[in-house]
Amino acid sequence: MLRSVIKGVGAYLPERVLTNKELAKNVDTSDEWIVARSGIHQRHIAADDQSTSDLAIEAARRALKNAGLDGTEVDLFVVATATPDETFPATAARVQSALGKPGIPAFDLQAVCSGFVYGLAVIDNFIKTGQVKCAMLIGAETFSRILDWDDRTTCVLFGDGAGAVIFNALQGEGSPKDQGILSTHIHSDGRYHDMLYVDGGPASTQTTGYVRMKGKEVFRHAVVNLASTAHEALNANGLTIDDVDWLVPHQANKRILDSTATKLGIDPKKVIVTVDKHANTSAASIPLAFESGIADGRIKTGDLVLMEAMGGGFTWGSALLRI
Ligand code: UT7
């Protein structure tokens, strides 16, 4: 069977770093509170003249360099984002025009913090059905643009950034020993809309709106849904948590990462953590964490990697990959 095998990874974080201490000068919060409740120490913030596509293009360029490819070899660009440059056209079209061949498909995918896992499901299906040979999936966000900087319950938690992964179609045996994406599982439950949403949009307020969240409720659902989707990924492949070399979770809160790791029974040393430095970058958080694990030599060829995410919608999902 055809497998979606990783060919290259790239990441980009805007230069500006905003520390908790700096944030506490303008918002009624403290470094101690933010670290204790979320594990976040700092976040990166896009410059005024940087948009989501700028971050995405830079991450994509780095992924192409890492893969030894130029953009013309890519057959499909998918950008997972909840903070597109414009309502339309898709941010992915800007990426394609900067780096890719004219005429190839490029579109955005909106599943908020689960966007990267949803994107893996989409590109894996394009590759497995033989429709494309090389696909680039980018998670890119400028969440700083949709934060209410007077709302301390949300503005301390998010950051900006982008991560990109290139996949090639390669023949596998159809066993969990294959390289590439082994499975994806994605879910949604719109009954939980009011737990995490943006209070604006083209068809409602005609404004962009700001993030609103019932943090405690989201936290509670996150731990349950993340553990359950991790189990379905393992069960689908006849594997156990002991087979997993690295857990690369969506980076929302260090306490969520710890609780999920405990629930799954995985050694915390096998969990890639970047929430301390990046905060929650929504669809960009998994590829950013993944790239950091590859760049520092922890994640190696042959390793089994479990990715999982949960976000607004609610949406949630998992992907199991062999590097
Ligand atoms: O990407 C997926 C989406 N996001 C998530 O997964 C986030 C999920 N939720 C969380 O990470 C956590 O619930 C938070 C970090 C958002 C909050 O932690 P918590 O332990 O659930 O705190 P809380 O909301 O229960 O707030 C505790 C107290 C409250 O004061 P009272 O009512 O006890 O007097 C808040 O008003 O902390 C107060 N508080 C703050 N204090 C200082 C809320 N935000 C802040 C703040 N600084 N930034």
Side-chain angles (χ1 to χ4, degrees):
M1 70 183 290
L2 281 172
R3 293 286 196 190
S4 312
V5 177
I6 292 177
K7 178 76 180 156
V9 295
Y12 175 73
L13 289 157
E15 231 172 84
R16 164 103 170 95
V17 171
L18 178 62
T19 63
N20 292 346
K21 282 205 173 98
E22 245 183 300
L23 194 51
K25 287 181 192 158
N26 300 315
V27 189
D28 180 18
T29 188
S30 65
D31 180 45
E32 294 70 29
W33 190 94
I34 301 171
V35 172
R37 298 296 175 125
S38 71
I40 296 165
H41 291 260
Q42 60 171 54
R43 71 285 295 141
H44 291 251
I45 303 288
D48 289 346
D49 63 355
Q50 278 182 315
S51 61
T52 298
S53 63
D54 295 318
L55 275 50
I57 289 166
E58 195 46 47
R61 275 211 177 96
R62 293 176 186 193
L64 287 169
K65 190 166 176 227
N66 179 254
L69 297 176
D70 77 59
T72 59
E73 284 139 310
V74 177
D75 303 317
L76 167 70
F77 286 99
V78 177
V79 176
T81 186
T83 47
D85 290 11
E86 296 156 324
T87 304
F88 78 80
T91 301
R94 282 199 193 270
V95 179
Q96 176 272 320
S97 109
L99 302 173
K101 266 190 314 228
I104 62 152
F107 58 86
D108 288 359
L109 188 153
Q110 162 50 308
V112 211
C113 299
S114 311
F116 194 78
V117 171
Y118 266 65
L120 289 173
V122 169
I123 65 110
D124 191 37
N125 280 302
F126 269 99
I127 285 180
K128 278 199 301 215
T129 53
Q131 290 195 62
V132 303
K133 288 201 173 74
C134 180
M136 167 124 51
L137 173 62
I138 306 167
E141 302 279 15
T142 48
F143 248 61
S144 62
R145 306 276 158 78
I146 55 164
L147 294 175
D148 174 352
W149 289 97
D150 293 323
D151 175 7
R152 67 177 185 170
T153 68
T154 51
C155 77
V156 303
L157 300 173
F158 295 90
D160 301 337
V165 183
I166 302 170
F167 293 89
N168 265 350
L170 282 182
Q171 208 59 239
E173 288 175 358
S175 90
K177 290 189 179 144
D178 285 352
Q179 258 193 310
I181 298 176
L182 300 179
S183 67
T184 57
H185 291 85
I186 51 175
H187 303 275
S188 74
D189 191 340
R191 289 175 300 173
Y192 295 100
H193 168 278
D194 294 354
M195 301 289 146
L196 177 52
Y197 66 104
V198 166
D199 62 359
S204 52
T205 59
Q206 295 85 54
T207 61
T208 309
Y210 295 113
V211 175
R212 303 296 174 205
M213 179 167 73
K214 294 187 177 131
K216 246 191 184 10
E217 293 300 311
V218 178
F219 191 113
R220 204 164 50 80
H221 282 90
V223 178
V224 174
N225 289 341
L226 290 171
S228 117
T229 193
H231 281 303
E232 70 182 335
L234 294 169
N235 292 341
N237 292 283
L239 297 168
T240 72
I241 197 68
D242 295 334
D243 296 310
V244 174
D245 295 295
W246 296 104
L247 180 64
V248 183
H250 167 53
Q251 310 279 320
N253 183 322
K254 179 68 166 53
R255 285 160 54 217
I256 296 180
L257 304 193
D258 292 344
S259 305
T260 311
T262 305
K263 224 170 158 45
L264 290 173
I266 190 168
D267 181 346
K269 289 196 198 86
K270 290 179 164 186
V271 183
I272 305 280
V273 179
T274 49
V275 67
D276 52 335
K277 296 189 208 75
H278 304 167
N280 180 348
T281 57
S282 183
S285 92
I286 288 181
L288 279 168
F290 183 55
E291 192 275 345
S292 84
I294 291 199
D296 65 22
R298 278 179 293 171
I299 303 176
K300 296 184 191 69
T301 305
D303 282 355
L304 186 69
V305 173
L306 177 58
M307 297 177 173
E308 32 100 314
M310 148 97 190
F314 287 147
T315 54
W316 67 101
S318 59
L320 203 56
L321 308 84
R322 195 171 297 282
I323 307 308

